[in-house]
């Protein structure tokens, strides 16, 4: 009896760090690389917009989608964003940072920020490379 | 009583030391640093002070430069992209680009078309609009980067094929490559809006407004002149001559546009922006040579 209790205790002790490691496994962080970007309720460009974010905004990626969208979270926000709008490192060419005062003086309203983010979603992008 | 006496004594002592200080000679060895300058020099204190002063000046300069950087005007390539997007945002109601539409698969087709044309190294964006205010238009969007705006009602009324849409966009691309859009803007005005800095100067708000109004005028009213149109049409004619399918589609596209502008009042303005389909047909008609 004593030995079985000891064995169980020993096994639990061994398993503890593994489960802790599993818990600690952080979700990858990706940064918004467009001037403004939008998180949608579903993985569609025309799905309801949950919120608009500024360039450089970090998101925790819950799931990299097979389609063009990834599931992300930020604070209490959870939704889908175009994978091409995310980058591994914080972008250094955000207009809001590069031309801070110029951008400040443009004095964009909430509606304009929303439309600017919307625009990024609706562009069909392509390139011709050899 | 005793306390008062002690207090008076203390006060008198204080005033006497003050008067003594005032009576001190001006040249006091302990106060005059000139006398100990040589000692300080030997200590290297003066050097340290100088070093610290230089360091401080550098710090101030760096801080000023950093502050100055915040006031940078956009670089040439960023400027066109930023201003075009800003213009689209400002005109979202007129252009109605925020609408639900199917993916027409134009992106991939246009890429293949450009490859056929040998246009490598080109980045592009396409934006569909749900308005006839613009039929099709190309905007500069950075180095080798372009934005094409195309009207869905125009595509539908003309019943355009993917190839014909691609030809229209290629026509717009050619205009941009010939610098026909950028040349419409006053270089002095552009100079105030890009490639510079407005630190301790007035923000060019009025100039931005003038610029945006000019874009309005070019896109909605004035468009391109006959000479520019001739240059573009001739170029496309020469390029398409080696591909019968492309050339025939270009010709039939011009015929369609010519009919539309003559029959449909909604598209009467087209001739003002791109003069004129009828003339274009004449310019490339092989029989009329």
């Amino acid at each position: 009896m004593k030995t079985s209790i000891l064995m169980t205790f020993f096994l639990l002790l061994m398993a503890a760090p593994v489960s802790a490691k599993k818990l600690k496994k952080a979700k990858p962080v990706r940064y918004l690389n467009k001037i403004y970007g939008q998180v949608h309720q579903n993985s569609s460009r025309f799905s309801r917009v949950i919120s608009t974010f500024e360039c450089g905004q970090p998101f925790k990626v819950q799931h990299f989608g097979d389609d063009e969208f990834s599931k992300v979270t930020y604070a209490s926000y959870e939704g889908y964003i175009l994978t091409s709008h995310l980058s591994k490192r914080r972008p250094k060419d955000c207009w809001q940072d590069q031309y801070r005062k110029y951008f400040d003086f443009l004095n964009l309203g909430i509606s304009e920020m929303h439309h600017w983010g919307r625009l990024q979603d609706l562009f069909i992008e392509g390139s011709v490379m050899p | 009583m005793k306390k008062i006496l002690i207090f008076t004594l203390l006060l008198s002592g204080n005033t006497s030391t003050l008067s003594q200080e005032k009576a001190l000679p001006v040249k006091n060895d302990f106060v005059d640093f000139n006398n100990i300058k040589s000692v300080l020099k030997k200590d290297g204190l003066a050097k340290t002070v100088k070093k610290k002063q230089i360091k401080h000046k550098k710090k101030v300069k760096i801080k000023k430069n950093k502050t100055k950087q915040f006031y940078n005007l956009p670089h040439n390539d960023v400027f066109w992209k930023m201003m075009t997007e800003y213009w689209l945002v400002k005109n979202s109601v007129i252009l109605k680009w925020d609408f639900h539409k199917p993916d027409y698969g134009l992106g991939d087709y246009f890429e293949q078309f450009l490859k056929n044309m040998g246009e490598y190294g080109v980045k592009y964006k396409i934006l569909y609009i749900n308005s006839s205010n613009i039929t099709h238009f190309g905007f500069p969007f950075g180095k080798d980067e372009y934005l094409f705006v195309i009207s869905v009602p125009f595509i539908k009324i003309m019943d355009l094929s993917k190839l014909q849409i691609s030809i229209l966009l290629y026509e717009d691309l050619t205009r941009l490559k010939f610098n026909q859009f950028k040349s419409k803007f006053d270089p002095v005005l552009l100079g105030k809006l890009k490639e510079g800095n407005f630190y301790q100067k007035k923000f060019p708000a009025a100039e931005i407004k003038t610029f945006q109004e000019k874009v309005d005028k070019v896109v909605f009213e004035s468009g391109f002149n006959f000479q520019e149109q001739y240059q573009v049409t001739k170029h496309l004619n020469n390029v398409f001559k080696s591909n019968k399918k492309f050339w025939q589609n270009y010709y039939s596209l011009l015929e369609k546009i010519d009919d539309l502008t003559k029959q449909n009042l909604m598209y009467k303005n087209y001739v003002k922006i791109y003069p004129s389909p009828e003339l274009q047909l004449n310019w490339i008609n092989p029989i009329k040579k």
Side-chain angles (χ1 to χ4, degrees):
Chain A
M1 182 65 183
K2 237 184 189 178
T3 47
S4 62
I5 291 169
L6 266 169
M7 276 289 280
T8 335
F9 181 72
F10 184 71
L11 274 172
L12 274 170
L13 208 72
M14 290 288 282
V18 178
S19 56
K21 258 185 198 173
K22 264 186 190 173
L23 278 173
K24 272 185 186 173
K25 200 184 174 188
K27 300 277 179 197
V29 175
R30 293 289 183 274
Y31 299 87
L32 184 67
N33 59 24
K34 299 283 171 187
I35 176 172
Y36 290 106
Q38 294 182 324
V39 171
H40 297 269
Q41 196 167 23
N42 296 305
S43 56
S44 159
R45 292 168 194 254
F46 305 104
S47 166
R48 191 179 77 89
V49 175
I50 294 173
S51 191
T52 303
F53 295 91
E54 262 196 22
C55 182
Q57 173 70 50
F59 292 104
K60 275 185 183 172
V61 182
Q62 303 295 324
H63 174 67
F64 288 103
D66 296 330
D67 54 356
E68 49 186 353
F69 281 85
S70 290
K71 192 176 183 184
V72 293
T73 55
Y74 171 72
S76 60
Y77 298 104
E78 187 177 84
Y80 296 83
I81 194 165
L82 279 165
T83 310
S84 61
H85 290 186
L86 299 172
S87 55
K88 272 188 176 180
R89 292 201 179 119
R90 198 188 145 82
K92 286 177 181 169
D93 55 353
C94 289
W95 293 344
Q96 290 96 326
D97 299 333
Q98 267 192 313
Y99 311 106
R100 193 178 290 186
K101 291 287 172 187
Y102 193 88
F103 224 76
D104 283 352
F105 279 109
L106 282 182
N107 206 16
L108 299 174
I110 292 171
S111 162
E112 285 161 328
M113 286 179 200
H114 166 82
H115 278 116
W116 214 317
R118 200 79 203 94
L119 201 56
Q120 307 308 314
D121 271 349
L122 297 174
F123 281 143
I124 297 164
E125 293 182 41
S127 61
V128 190
M129 294 301 159
Chain B
M1 186 65 187
K2 241 182 193 178
K3 273 182 186 173
I4 295 165
L5 261 171
I6 291 165
F7 187 69
T8 350
L9 265 170
L10 270 171
L11 261 179
S12 64
N14 231 359
T15 45
S16 65
T17 46
L18 273 172
S19 58
Q20 264 181 352
E21 268 175 22
K22 273 179 192 171
L24 274 173
V26 181
K27 281 187 178 178
N28 185 337
D29 281 352
F30 296 105
V31 179
D32 189 1
F33 288 101
N34 283 330
N35 291 346
I36 53 165
K37 233 180 185 178
S38 56
V39 184
L40 286 174
K41 257 185 191 175
K42 274 179 192 169
D43 280 356
L45 268 175
K47 259 188 184 175
T48 318
V49 169
K50 223 177 184 181
K51 267 185 189 173
K52 277 192 174 176
Q53 277 175 342
I54 292 167
K55 214 178 170 183
H56 178 72
K57 268 186 188 173
K58 264 186 187 174
K59 246 186 179 178
V60 170
K61 207 180 170 183
I62 289 168
K63 204 179 171 185
K64 199 184 168 185
N65 280 345
K66 262 191 175 176
T67 317
K68 211 177 163 184
Q69 268 184 5
F70 292 151
Y71 292 81
N72 275 351
L73 294 170
H75 288 296
N76 187 38
D77 293 334
V78 173
F79 169 78
W80 289 101
K81 193 175 188 174
M82 191 190 282
M83 282 297 125
T84 306
E85 288 192 7
Y86 185 52
W87 182 81
L88 287 168
V89 167
K90 286 269 178 197
N91 287 285
S92 61
V93 178
I94 299 170
L95 299 176
K96 289 187 180 132
W97 45 258
D98 190 3
F99 73 110
H100 203 301
K101 62 254 173 184
D103 180 14
Y104 295 103
L106 182 63
D108 296 335
Y109 190 90
F110 187 54
E111 186 186 328
Q112 201 52 49
F113 176 85
L114 288 177
K115 273 183 186 168
N116 278 331
M117 292 287 105
E119 293 284 351
Y120 288 98
V122 170
K123 284 182 188 171
Y124 62 85
K125 283 189 171 81
I126 299 169
L127 181 70
Y128 292 115
I129 59 166
N130 196 17
S131 156
S132 308
N133 285 319
I134 297 179
T135 48
H136 60 95
F137 208 94
F139 293 92
F141 223 52
K143 197 177 181 289
D144 297 324
E145 203 175 344
Y146 309 94
L147 167 73
F148 303 105
V149 173
I150 186 140
S151 155
V152 172
F154 178 70
I155 293 174
K156 281 180 180 168
I157 202 164
M158 292 267 292
D159 193 22
L160 295 177
S161 65
K162 278 184 200 169
L163 175 59
Q164 285 173 331
I165 299 169
S166 298
I167 289 171
L168 270 180
L169 301 188
Y170 186 64
E171 205 184 57
D172 291 333
L173 175 69
T174 309
R175 277 190 196 94
L176 291 168
K177 286 204 160 183
F178 286 160
N179 215 22
Q180 291 182 356
F181 181 73
K182 283 186 184 177
S183 65
K184 305 274 174 203
F185 296 87
D186 179 13
V188 182
L189 175 77
L190 293 179
K192 286 176 186 172
L193 292 172
K194 59 186 176 79
E195 302 281 359
N197 192 286
F198 66 102
Y199 182 62
Q200 291 177 341
K201 288 179 203 163
K202 204 181 155 194
F203 175 68
E207 284 81 1
I208 288 179
K209 202 182 167 202
T210 314
F211 177 84
Q212 296 283 330
E213 283 168 0
K214 182 69 186 172
V215 178
D216 281 348
K217 199 170 182 195
V218 174
V219 176
F220 297 127
E221 290 173 34
S222 58
F224 302 91
N225 59 38
F226 283 98
Q227 201 182 342
E228 288 165 337
Q229 192 70 338
Y230 178 79
Q231 195 187 10
V232 170
T233 313
K234 276 287 176 188
H235 177 80
L236 259 71
N237 183 45
N238 290 336
V239 172
F240 290 153
K241 257 181 187 171
S242 54
N243 191 320
K244 199 181 167 188
K245 187 183 161 193
F246 287 179
W247 191 89
Q248 279 174 340
N249 266 282
Y250 184 46
Y251 196 84
S252 71
L253 174 72
L254 290 175
E255 280 179 328
K256 270 188 193 178
I257 297 173
D258 189 33
D259 288 343
L260 181 79
T261 51
K262 282 172 182 167
Q263 289 162 9
N264 195 326
L265 281 172
M266 283 276 285
Y267 294 95
K268 229 182 169 182
N269 198 38
Y270 187 96
V271 194
K272 280 187 193 170
I273 312 297
Y274 307 112
S276 89
E278 194 180 347
L279 275 173
Q280 280 183 286
L281 283 166
N282 281 333
W283 290 332
I284 64 167
N285 193 339
I287 304 160
K288 288 204 170 182
K289 269 187 178 176

